[in-house]
Amino acid sequence: MDIRVGDRIQMKKQHPCGSKEFDVLRVGMDFRIRCSGCGHELMLPRLKCEKNIKKVLRKEENEL
């Protein structure tokens, strides 16, 4: 799965605050993501994170 730093991902399950969207801060063996609703940051193993991703909302590279 092609996920880059700066992407916004929509997860299958929601965060306890009610938001399903997260911003990607770090990509590697672990993903560091930030909840778009409350700002909580968490670090997840790559396999667990990729399994729970529903959709990748990517900004186009030519939009600045």
Side-chain angles (χ1 to χ4, degrees):
M1 187 172 280
D2 183 32
I3 298 172
R4 302 179 201 149
V5 174
D7 288 348
R8 181 167 281 198
I9 55 177
Q10 185 177 18
M11 303 297 258
K12 293 178 183 174
K13 295 184 179 178
Q14 65 184 9
H15 191 249
C17 74
S19 177
K20 286 188 174 187
E21 293 186 358
F22 293 83
D23 297 316
V24 179
L25 303 176
R26 179 182 182 272
V27 177
M29 284 301 294
D30 297 317
F31 281 12
R32 179 176 291 277
I33 57 177
R34 178 186 297 137
C35 177
S36 298
C38 64
H40 183 87
E41 290 185 12
L42 54 144
M43 201 154 187
L44 297 171
R46 176 182 274 275
L47 292 175
K48 185 174 182 179
C49 191
E50 285 183 346
K51 185 178 87 169
N52 290 316
I53 292 174
K54 185 175 183 180
K55 188 190 314 184
V56 178
L57 309 169
R58 178 169 292 145
K59 290 183 183 178
E60 294 299 322
E61 294 169 354
N62 55 9
E63 289 181 16
L64 295 177

